[in-house]
């Protein structure tokens, strides 16, 4: 199970703020009274640390809760668009402002579009961040035939680029969703994900797929993503760090298509 970092951060903000406030309202008066009599009393260590950490924690909490949150790509399901070790930035307000921890939307700003790369909580693992591409909007009919994606009965344009020299039998292609082109990969030989029956996306839900079409656990496996479980839109790569003992690289820095 993933660590619930937003909840931990919230608890730290509340705890350090409460200690600072309690000291300001009660303890500080006693120290000032002693100081007036020429007697000094040091500030408690816990209060000193709380006063130092509270502003920093509060700023980080607001930034990652409502503006931008960093993530690291843990798997190859979005390859070749995103590689394992990519550090990305996610816009937390693209699809509306949500309360931290509870995820309740309080301000409606925008809705996901086909082709967006989105971070969310999947229905089968509601405590783990996933990142996939938005394929189907509410009401869309989705089908895959021989690794060709169909939306509402229309084939999504694919353009062959080359065979992938890294993985035998895999092909790299351009795919175009609503006029926006992105990279994708698929195997030339059929796999369990090469064909799916036609399914319709229910209201308030989205159909997600990884760009690595034959190596991605996505909506073809575990179903639709409810609107309430959306985290935000991935928009940029800011660093790549493949292994702990390797050096960080910035040659992949840029926007996410």
């Amino acid at each position: 199970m993933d660590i619930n970092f937003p909840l931990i951060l919230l608890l730290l903000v509340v705890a350090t703020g409460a200690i600072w406030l309690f000291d300001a309202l009660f303890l500080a008066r006693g120290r000032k009274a002693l100081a007036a009599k020429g007697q000094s009393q040091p500030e408690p260590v816990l209060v000193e640390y709380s006063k130092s950490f509270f502003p920093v924690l509060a700023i980080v909490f607001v930034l990652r809760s409502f503006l931008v949150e960093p993530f690291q790509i843990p798997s190859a399901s979005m390859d070749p668009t995103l590689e394992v070790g990519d550090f990305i930035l996610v816009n937390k307000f693209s699809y509306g402002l949500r309360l931290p921890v509870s995820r309740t939307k309080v301000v409606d700003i925008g809705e996901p579009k086909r082709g967006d790369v989105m971070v969310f909580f999947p229905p089968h693992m509601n405590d783990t961040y996933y990142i996939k591409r938005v394929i189907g909007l509410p009401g869309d009919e989705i089908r895959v035939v021989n690794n060709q994606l169909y939306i509402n009965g229309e084939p999504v344009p694919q353009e062959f680029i080359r065979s992938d020299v890294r993985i035998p039998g895999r092909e790299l292609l351009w795919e175009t969703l609503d006029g926006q082109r992105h990279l994708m990969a698929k195997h030339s030989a059929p796999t369990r994900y090469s064909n799916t029956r036609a399914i319709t996306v229910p209201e308030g839900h989205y159909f997600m797929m990884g760009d690595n079409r034959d190596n991605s656990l996505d909506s073809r496996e575990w179903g639709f993503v409810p609107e309430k479980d959306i985290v935000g839109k991935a928009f940029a790569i800011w660093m790549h760090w493949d292994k702990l003992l390797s050096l960080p690289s910035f040659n992949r820095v840029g926007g996410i298509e």
Side-chain angles (χ1 to χ4, degrees):
M1 180 181 295
D2 283 2
I3 296 174
N4 193 331
F5 186 71
L7 178 59
I8 294 175
L9 185 57
L10 174 61
L11 293 176
L12 288 173
V13 171
V14 172
T16 54
I19 292 171
W20 189 358
L21 180 62
F22 182 81
D23 177 73
L25 294 178
F26 302 104
L27 303 183
R29 294 179 182 179
R31 294 197 300 273
K32 289 181 180 179
L34 290 175
K37 297 177 182 180
Q39 302 175 16
S40 62
Q41 184 181 39
E43 188 175 68
V45 174
L46 184 59
V47 172
E48 182 181 351
Y49 277 111
S50 295
K51 291 171 66 175
S52 299
F53 285 117
F54 173 74
V56 177
L57 292 171
I59 291 173
V60 172
F61 179 74
V62 170
L63 288 177
R64 77 179 304 277
S65 297
F66 301 107
L67 298 178
V68 176
E69 185 172 359
F71 288 91
Q72 182 184 11
I73 302 300
S75 73
S77 68
M78 283 296 292
D79 182 65
T81 302
L82 297 172
E83 298 179 359
V84 175
D86 281 346
F87 284 74
I88 65 171
L89 296 176
V90 175
N91 186 325
K92 298 295 289 287
F93 59 86
S94 287
Y95 307 134
L97 292 179
R98 299 172 185 270
L99 295 177
V101 182
S102 71
R103 310 175 198 165
T104 303
K105 183 187 286 188
V106 292
V107 179
D108 198 1
I109 296 176
E111 301 293 337
K113 299 179 177 61
R114 291 191 198 95
D116 286 357
V117 177
M118 191 168 78
V119 174
F120 57 92
F121 294 97
H124 69 302
M125 296 181 67
N126 207 29
D127 55 4
T128 303
Y129 291 115
Y130 268 44
I131 181 167
K132 309 288 181 184
R133 192 176 296 276
V134 179
I135 298 297
L137 304 179
D140 283 345
E141 182 190 79
I142 306 298
R143 189 181 183 188
V144 179
V145 180
N146 295 326
N147 260 328
Q148 170 64 60
L149 174 64
Y150 289 80
I151 300 179
N152 298 323
E154 297 294 327
V156 174
Q158 295 179 351
E159 178 186 346
F160 177 80
I161 300 174
R162 66 178 184 276
S163 297
D164 191 343
V165 295
R166 301 174 301 168
I167 303 175
R170 195 173 82 150
E171 301 172 345
L172 301 178
L173 304 93
W174 289 112
E175 185 175 67
T176 304
L177 278 172
D178 289 357
Q180 298 297 317
R181 193 171 72 163
H182 63 267
L183 288 169
M184 63 160 288
K186 66 179 184 180
H187 286 288
S188 54
T191 69
R192 60 181 296 216
Y193 293 124
S194 298
N195 295 278
T196 66
R197 61 182 177 85
I199 53 176
T200 300
V201 184
E203 287 300 316
H205 292 73
Y206 296 89
F207 191 92
M208 313 298 297
M209 292 175 67
D211 289 344
N212 193 355
R213 292 293 162 80
D214 296 289
N215 187 25
S216 173
L217 293 177
D218 48 40
S219 289
R220 294 169 293 179
E221 182 78 19
W222 36 251
F224 309 105
V225 175
E227 189 277 337
K228 66 179 180 64
D229 291 333
I230 292 174
V231 174
K233 179 182 178 181
F235 68 94
I237 301 171
W238 63 275
M239 184 179 71
H240 180 86
W241 194 1
D242 190 18
K243 300 176 183 177
L244 182 62
L245 299 180
S246 65
L247 293 176
S249 169
F250 298 94
N251 59 0
R252 288 181 49 77
V253 171
I256 298 174
E257 296 181 347

